[in-house]
Amino acid sequence: MTTVLTPASPLTAADRCDRCGAQAYLRIVLASGGELLFCAHHGRKFEPELKKIAVEIQDETGRLGTTPATADDNER
């Protein structure tokens, strides 16, 4: 059986970690049809277990090291 996944929308500041409530940078789509959101810390902590149950992992942790284009010069 082939599962077709629609592209997930980017995570925003409103998306919160299911474990601690921090901003989520990972979306884990489960085979059961649900999804989990995790901050970078908890995503790394639970990574081995998540890989076993995930059909897709949307990882946006790369955004943590970038400065938004809309940041003021004193924030760069």
Side-chain angles (χ1 to χ4, degrees):
M1 179 169 109
T2 302
T3 303
V4 178
L5 299 173
T6 57
S9 59
L11 295 167
T12 68
D15 294 308
R16 310 313 286 180
C17 176
D18 289 328
R19 182 73 175 155
C20 69
Q23 183 172 346
Y25 287 93
L26 289 108
R27 175 181 282 127
I28 315 308
V29 180
L30 305 172
S32 64
E35 70 178 24
L36 299 170
L37 299 176
F38 288 106
C39 64
H41 165 77
H42 285 110
R44 283 190 299 272
K45 181 177 180 178
F46 300 124
E47 181 179 14
E49 293 82 16
L50 293 172
K51 285 185 174 182
K52 294 175 187 176
I53 62 171
V55 292
E56 180 183 2
I57 297 177
Q58 178 182 349
D59 184 352
E60 297 184 10
T61 56
R63 294 183 4 211
L64 289 168
T66 61
T67 304
T70 58
D72 291 331
D73 287 336
N74 62 348
E75 294 179 353
R76 294 178 187 266

